[in-house]
């Protein structure tokens, strides 16, 4: 009788220990260069991959006329034509940062235009000494517009009797460089990612 | 002897598990639909009720997010509304799996122990209100993302949702705003076919005119109640259904010389259709539950009739239909599109032959631009 009782107790304790081990919370740092995906959706690894695929060819390309003057670019937001809320501002910021660091291009800060105007108005109201005020009409004019569109195609397996359901998502980001004077597209490139993920239909 | 002891342990364990799950089910004889609106007789006053999701059980979290999202929407706090609706969307995305634990507890207790996943219609209306919020904030790109999500739900449940004209018109509007006129035309054509209208719903206003788009909610969605049948000996069949649908009243306004485009959805009808589509699943689960309880009752009855009676009584009380629903939804939603001259306008709306009026004063219309407003009677 005692043997059965202790076996039963041991079994219950064993089960609870397994449950507690599974339920314990853990945290760890992830190397941002590693590709980590929890599902088929867009994540930080995709952003990094897209930016690298687009920036490197742009830096190596020879579409610009050879001259001492660095071309001045203005970046317009990348249009999000996917069916997910993706912050494309992160992609444009990364592209701008890499191109700027390379030193081949100059950039206009479109996002700060309103703040710059506010600041100049403040300076001209009389609060700032005249010799320190910013002279108006000295901003740079862009030579090229850098813009793009992010698109996706998603497919899910139809409902059937199965243990797992697969989902496939394809992303493409088209980047174009347009000459502001002539409206000519002088450069175009595309980055593509496709991923398939499967998840069990039955869970705990 | 040894086998007998093992059998006693297993039987005791089974009964204890049943009682444990019964306790954890948190069922009460009070209708759980009143969790968020305990003493409200007038459902349209929901915006005065403070709702917190912090202490809400995980199984009712979706419902809390929906209620809170809508509450903030009608308080005109669209950013906060979006936060809760987007949380609801995130939660709904996790509902693709069948949970063994939940299915087991539903087989032993009732459907209220399961995580509330929302009716097909309610899942669509989360995206509907997100579209409205983003349009009111002039965030057309985000509105289009929600339109695409809503289209996926239409495709997944075509039979239940095909008569939701309002959401389809909203989807078309989102395409129109992003200059995707081909996609907008497709949606307007689908809508025209369903409502059998010969009007050209894709009206692009001229260069000298502006457009007012009103989202008008009225009344309250019908209540979900349980229909109970008691069969001998002490077997209760309890299934949810919606009470009578809201009777939509026409909306009139002071611009009698203008012919607006009005597209209405009776939310009660759509919700009832969505629920009907799930009836087969509900009945199947109910049958399994009834037969399981019957087997257990008979086994207990072999040893003690009193225990069997107690068990049957507990089973009877625990057998309750899942009447959880998104209560604060309006009874109907109407989209009104009106082309107006640029300038300031005072718009006055009235509901049918009732004395209910709404006024929008000093509404500024600009040429070639759309102005959005969401109101509720």
């Amino acid at each position: 009788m005692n043997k059965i009782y202790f076996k039963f107790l041991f079994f219950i304790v064993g089960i609870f220990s397994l449950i507690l081990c599974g339920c314990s919370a853990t945290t760890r740092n992830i190397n941002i260069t590693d590709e980590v995906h929890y599902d088929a959706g867009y994540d930080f690894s995709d952003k990094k991959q897209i930016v690298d695929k687009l920036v490197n060819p742009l830096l190596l390309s020879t579409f610009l006329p050879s001259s001492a003057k660095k071309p001045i670019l203005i970046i317009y937001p990348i249009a999000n034509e996917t069916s997910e809320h993706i912050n494309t501002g992160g992609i444009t910021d990364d592209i701008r940062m890499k191109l700027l660091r390379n030193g081949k291009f100059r950039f206009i800060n479109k996002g700060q235009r309103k703040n710059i105007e506010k600041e100049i108005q403040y300076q001209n109201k009389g609060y700032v000494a005249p010799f320190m005020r910013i002279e108006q009409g000295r901003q740079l004019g862009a030579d090229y517009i850098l813009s793009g569109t992010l698109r996706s195609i998603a497919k899910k397996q139809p409902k059937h009797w199965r243990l797992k359901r697969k989902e496939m998502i394809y992303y493409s980001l088209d980047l174009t460089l347009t000459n502001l004077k002539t409206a000519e597209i002088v450069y175009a490139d595309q980055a593509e990612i496709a991923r398939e993920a499967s998840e069990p239909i039955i869970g705990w | 002897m040894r086998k007998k002891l093992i059998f006693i342990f297993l039987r005791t364990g089974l009964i204890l598990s049943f009682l444990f799950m019964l306790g954890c089910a948190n069922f009460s004889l009070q209708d759980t639909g009143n969790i968020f609106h305990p003493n409200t007789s007038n459902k349209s006053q929901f915006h005065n009720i403070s709702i917190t999701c912090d202490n809400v059980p995980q199984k009712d979290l979706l419902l809390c997010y929906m209620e809170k999202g809508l509450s903030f929407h009608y308080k005109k706090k669209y950013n906060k509304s979006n936060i809760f609706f987007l949380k609801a969307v995130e939660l709904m995305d996790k509902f693709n799996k069948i949970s063994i634990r939940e299915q087991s507890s539903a087989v032993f207790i009732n459907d209220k122990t399961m995580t509330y996943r929302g009716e097909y219609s309610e899942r669509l209306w989360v995206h509907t209100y997100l579209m409205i919020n983003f349009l009111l904030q002039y965030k057309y790109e985000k509105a289009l993302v929600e339109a695409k999500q809503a289209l996926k739900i239409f495709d997944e449940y075509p039979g239940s949702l095909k008569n939701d004209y309002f959401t389809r018109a909203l989807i078309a509007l989102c395409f129109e705003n992003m200059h995707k006129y081909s996609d907008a035309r497709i949606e307007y054509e689908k809508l025209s076919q369903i409502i059998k209208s010969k009007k050209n719903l894709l009206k692009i206003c001229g260069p000298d005119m502006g457009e007012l788009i009103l989202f008008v909610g009225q009344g309250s969605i019908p209540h979900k109640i349980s229909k109970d049948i008691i069969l001998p000996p002490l077997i209760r069949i309890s299934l949810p259904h919606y009470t009578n649908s809201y009777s939509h009243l026409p909306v009139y306004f002071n611009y009698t010389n203008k012919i607006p485009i009005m597209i209405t959805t009776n939310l009660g009808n759509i919700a009832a259709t969505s629920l009907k589509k799930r009836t087969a699943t509900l009945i199947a689960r109910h049958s399994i539950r009834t037969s399981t309880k019957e087997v257990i009752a008979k086994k207990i009855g072999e040893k003690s009739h009193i225990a069997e009676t107690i068990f049957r009584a507990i089973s009877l009380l625990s057998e309750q239909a899942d009447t959880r629903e998104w209560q604060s939804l309006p009874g109907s939603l109407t989209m009104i599109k009106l082309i107006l001259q640029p300038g300031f306008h005072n718009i006055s709306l009235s509901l049918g032959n009732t004395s209910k009026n709404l006024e929008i004063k000093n509404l500024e219309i600009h040429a070639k631009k759309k102005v959005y407003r969401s109101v509720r009677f």
Side-chain angles (χ1 to χ4, degrees):
Chain A
M1 172 72 175
N2 278 339
K3 253 190 184 175
I4 295 165
Y5 174 74
F6 280 117
K7 272 186 185 173
F8 185 67
L9 196 65
F10 182 73
F11 176 70
I12 296 291
V13 166
I15 294 287
F16 270 110
S17 308
L18 280 171
I19 290 169
L20 282 168
C21 288
C23 293
S24 60
T26 59
T27 54
R28 64 182 181 102
N29 287 333
I30 297 170
N31 189 343
I32 54 165
T33 55
D34 292 341
E35 274 203 39
V36 179
H37 306 290
Y38 290 145
D39 57 26
Y42 178 81
D43 54 37
F44 78 90
S45 305
D46 296 324
K47 181 173 86 104
K48 221 182 152 306
Q49 204 177 342
I50 285 170
V51 169
D52 289 340
K53 273 187 185 179
L54 290 171
V55 165
N56 295 333
L58 180 59
L59 290 170
L60 295 170
S61 70
T62 53
F63 68 92
L64 291 169
S66 53
S67 67
K69 187 179 154 223
K70 275 192 220 175
I72 300 169
L73 269 56
I74 184 166
I75 296 188
Y76 273 72
I78 288 175
N80 175 18
E81 289 192 4
T82 68
S83 56
E84 296 169 67
H85 288 292
I86 294 173
N87 188 353
T88 53
I91 301 174
T92 48
D93 286 351
D94 279 8
I95 291 173
R96 185 179 53 216
M97 185 189 64
K98 290 194 176 221
L99 293 176
L100 199 58
R101 276 187 183 172
N102 179 267
K104 216 174 161 183
F105 301 95
R106 297 168 80 185
F107 281 90
I108 287 172
N109 195 339
K110 180 177 170 292
Q112 290 301 318
R113 276 177 171 164
K114 282 198 175 148
N115 287 337
I116 291 169
E117 195 185 331
K118 238 191 246 180
E119 183 59 28
I120 291 172
Q121 279 173 1
Y122 176 83
Q123 289 185 2
N124 288 321
K125 274 182 181 172
Y127 300 111
V128 175
F131 68 93
M132 287 209 77
R133 287 177 203 164
I134 299 291
E135 200 182 321
Q136 289 191 59
R138 302 297 295 270
Q139 287 186 18
L140 292 177
D143 298 319
Y144 299 93
I145 290 177
L146 190 66
S147 59
T149 310
L150 180 66
R151 296 182 178 91
S152 71
I153 302 171
K155 282 282 175 196
K156 269 187 188 172
Q157 274 188 317
K159 284 180 184 171
H160 276 305
W161 286 100
R162 54 167 67 92
L163 292 173
K164 279 187 178 182
R165 192 140 55 133
K166 289 185 185 173
E167 186 188 13
M168 188 172 64
I169 303 185
Y170 162 84
Y171 293 101
S172 76
L173 196 150
D174 295 290
L175 194 72
T176 49
L177 200 61
T178 309
N179 186 319
L180 218 58
K181 208 185 282 184
T182 61
E184 183 192 355
I185 296 174
V186 297
Y187 179 84
D189 199 2
Q190 188 186 62
E192 296 172 301
I193 294 170
R195 189 177 303 122
E196 188 187 61
S198 70
E199 58 169 7
I201 289 172
I202 298 171
W204 176 247
Chain B
M1 179 68 180
R2 190 177 161 178
K3 277 185 186 172
K4 207 178 175 181
L5 283 164
I6 291 169
F7 180 69
I8 292 168
F9 275 128
L10 283 171
R11 198 171 60 184
T12 314
L14 190 66
I15 293 171
L16 283 172
S17 309
F18 176 74
L19 288 170
F20 177 71
M21 280 193 279
L22 200 62
C24 290
N26 198 25
F27 77 90
S28 73
L29 295 174
Q30 188 186 11
D31 186 356
T32 28
N34 282 327
I35 284 173
F36 304 109
H37 307 273
N39 294 309
T40 314
S41 53
N42 184 354
K43 283 188 213 169
S44 65
Q45 296 303 311
F46 58 86
H47 58 272
N48 287 329
I49 296 162
S50 64
I51 306 161
T52 56
C53 293
D54 302 334
N55 299 321
V56 169
Q58 184 71 26
K59 62 186 181 74
D60 296 324
L61 209 48
L62 177 65
L63 209 42
C64 189
Y65 289 153
M66 288 173 172
E67 297 283 4
K68 201 150 183 178
L70 196 60
S71 170
F72 279 118
H73 170 84
Y74 284 112
K75 284 180 191 170
K76 300 190 193 312
K77 292 180 180 175
Y78 303 121
N79 281 329
K80 279 190 178 172
S81 175
N82 287 341
I83 287 170
F84 284 98
F85 279 135
L86 287 169
K87 277 185 184 178
V89 169
E90 206 182 313
L91 204 56
M92 290 189 308
D93 284 344
K94 293 178 188 171
F95 289 160
N96 291 323
K97 278 190 220 160
I98 300 167
S99 166
I100 294 172
R101 181 174 48 83
E102 286 196 351
Q103 293 292 333
S104 311
S105 67
V107 162
F108 281 107
I109 317 294
N110 57 41
D111 286 350
K112 280 183 180 176
T113 60
M114 294 175 70
T115 299
Y116 187 67
R117 296 178 176 211
E119 299 293 343
Y120 307 145
S121 51
E122 288 171 347
R123 291 182 214 173
L124 178 67
W125 293 329
V126 170
H127 293 290
T128 303
Y129 273 99
L130 275 166
M131 276 192 271
I132 296 173
N133 283 346
F134 285 128
L135 287 174
L136 289 162
Q137 295 175 301
Y138 300 94
K139 291 179 180 173
Y140 292 155
E141 200 173 82
K142 287 183 184 283
L144 187 57
V145 168
E146 292 306 321
K148 291 175 184 177
Q149 296 279 353
L151 272 175
K152 282 184 191 173
I153 297 183
F154 265 119
D155 289 340
E156 212 171 329
Y157 310 110
S160 315
L161 305 173
K162 68 172 188 220
N163 292 332
D164 190 349
Y165 316 130
F166 177 89
T167 305
R168 203 171 275 283
L170 204 55
I171 290 169
L173 179 63
C174 291
F175 278 116
E176 197 186 318
N177 286 337
M178 291 296 287
H179 310 295
K180 311 259 178 218
Y181 295 115
S182 312
D183 295 305
R185 194 166 286 118
I186 289 168
E187 293 307 316
Y188 280 128
E189 274 171 10
K190 278 185 197 169
L191 191 56
S192 297
Q193 278 168 15
I194 296 168
I195 63 175
K196 296 184 175 52
S197 164
K198 288 182 184 164
K199 270 188 195 173
N200 178 14
L201 299 171
L202 176 56
K203 256 189 193 173
I204 299 165
C205 63
D208 302 326
M209 303 295 270
E211 199 171 0
L212 169 64
I213 297 172
L214 286 169
F215 306 115
V216 182
Q218 55 172 279
S220 294
I221 197 162
H223 208 26
K224 202 193 269 185
I225 57 173
S226 67
K227 208 186 240 179
D228 294 337
I229 304 167
I230 310 282
L231 299 171
L234 292 180
I235 295 172
R236 182 178 175 184
I237 298 171
S238 187
L239 293 169
H241 82 286
Y242 281 96
T243 54
N244 289 334
S245 201
Y246 172 76
S247 296
H248 170 80
L249 296 170
V251 177
Y252 301 114
F253 53 122
N254 53 336
Y255 281 75
T256 50
N257 57 339
K258 304 277 179 191
I259 305 167
I261 291 173
M262 285 201 197
I263 296 162
T264 300
T265 291
N266 188 315
L267 303 196
N269 290 346
I270 308 293
T273 310
S274 292
L275 183 59
K276 265 188 199 156
K277 292 283 176 186
R278 291 199 305 120
T279 305
T281 316
L282 292 173
I283 290 173
R285 204 161 43 232
H286 203 291
S287 308
I288 295 170
R289 188 162 55 241
T290 308
S291 39
T292 308
K293 285 180 180 176
E294 197 52 34
V295 163
I296 295 173
K298 283 201 168 130
K299 282 285 175 192
I300 293 171
E302 281 168 11
K303 297 292 171 189
S304 161
H305 287 296
I306 295 168
E308 184 193 351
T309 309
I310 294 168
F311 179 82
R312 284 187 186 279
I314 293 170
S315 298
L316 183 84
L317 288 172
S318 69
E319 188 57 54
Q320 294 183 353
D322 188 358
T323 53
R324 289 175 291 182
E325 57 162 337
W326 187 355
Q327 272 201 329
S328 52
L329 281 168
S332 71
L333 275 171
T334 304
M335 184 197 294
I336 303 173
K337 293 174 94 182
L338 186 63
I339 291 173
L340 294 169
Q341 298 263 3
F344 287 92
H345 298 262
N346 293 325
I347 310 285
S348 177
L349 298 161
S350 59
L351 190 65
N353 293 326
T354 67
S355 57
K356 289 183 181 174
N357 289 307
L358 275 172
E359 290 205 9
I360 306 170
K361 290 182 178 172
N362 296 323
L363 183 71
E364 193 178 2
I365 301 288
H366 297 276
K368 291 192 279 185
K369 284 193 175 164
K370 290 185 171 90
V371 173
Y372 303 91
R373 289 290 184 273
S374 175
V375 296
R376 182 166 176 175
F377 282 101

